[in-house]
Amino acid sequence: YLMNHVVRPIFVFLILLLLPAQATANGLDIRPYVSGGIGAYVLGPGSGDDTVFGGYGAIGAEVMPNLALEIRGGTTANGSSAGSTFGTDWFVSYLAKPQAQVMPEVNVYGLIGASTIKSWRTPTGGTKVSATKTSFSFGGGIEYMFSNDFSIGIEAIALDFQDKTGR
């Protein structure tokens, strides 16, 4: 399962990330980067009661002036709501990041791709249930560039969709 749902997508993403490196000789400007973020993660089906702290690290590359490819890995803290406990052991996201400069120091961007998430929930008086799932992800954000090497931003991204059974 790990090979098909985590390792293989990461491998394919990295190949796609590195393929444009061949284009450098043709005058394209490919710029790799490393980033990270921390913030609130909603782990339930939309209830603010299921919000926990988490973070991620990312590697990516701007492969065209208005497009970057990025892979993220992260985790969250554990939380509790209505007597049950929940958490995310890890997640990996593979994202395309179309972006536009709206002012000299300000960029807006979208995020579209997929995420693989290993999460768990222990209902009140019940047994811990965990699952690993890959699903569609999307979002967007805005960043302020202090320099070519440092920026700060805010974003929202949906990493996972709950099915009707809450799994």
Side-chain angles (χ1 to χ4, degrees):
Y1 183 87
L2 186 63
M3 180 65 175
N4 287 336
H5 292 88
V6 178
V7 176
R8 190 171 293 150
I10 291 171
F11 183 70
V12 169
F13 181 83
L14 289 175
I15 288 173
L16 292 174
L17 188 68
L18 295 174
L19 279 177
Q22 295 293 325
T24 304
N26 295 331
L28 293 178
D29 182 22
I30 297 169
R31 296 183 293 167
Y33 61 88
V34 176
S35 67
I38 56 173
Y41 287 75
V42 179
L43 298 183
S47 166
D49 292 339
D50 292 355
T51 302
V52 296
F53 181 77
Y56 72 89
I59 60 170
E62 291 184 14
V63 295
M64 296 170 47
N66 294 318
L67 179 66
L69 299 176
E70 187 171 288
I71 188 164
R72 298 177 176 191
T75 190
T76 69
N78 299 337
S80 63
S81 174
S84 66
T85 57
F86 52 86
T88 299
D89 291 332
W90 53 263
F91 66 85
V92 177
S93 298
Y94 348 94
L95 303 164
K97 186 177 178 181
Q99 49 199 348
Q101 187 176 33
V102 293
M103 294 181 0
E105 301 87 15
V106 178
N107 294 326
V108 294
Y109 58 89
L111 298 165
I112 187 165
S115 295
T116 301
I117 302 165
K118 182 171 184 198
S119 60
W120 58 271
R121 183 172 289 274
T122 305
T124 304
T127 304
K128 180 177 181 178
V129 177
S130 64
T132 303
K133 183 168 131 181
T134 300
S135 65
F136 175 68
S137 297
F138 68 93
I142 185 167
E143 69 179 339
Y144 179 82
M145 303 293 293
F146 290 101
S147 70
N148 286 337
D149 297 325
F150 183 74
S151 69
I152 191 167
I154 187 166
E155 73 177 33
I157 181 170
L159 298 178
D160 183 30
F161 293 98
Q162 300 287 325
D163 64 20
K164 292 182 181 175
T165 62
R167 288 180 283 153

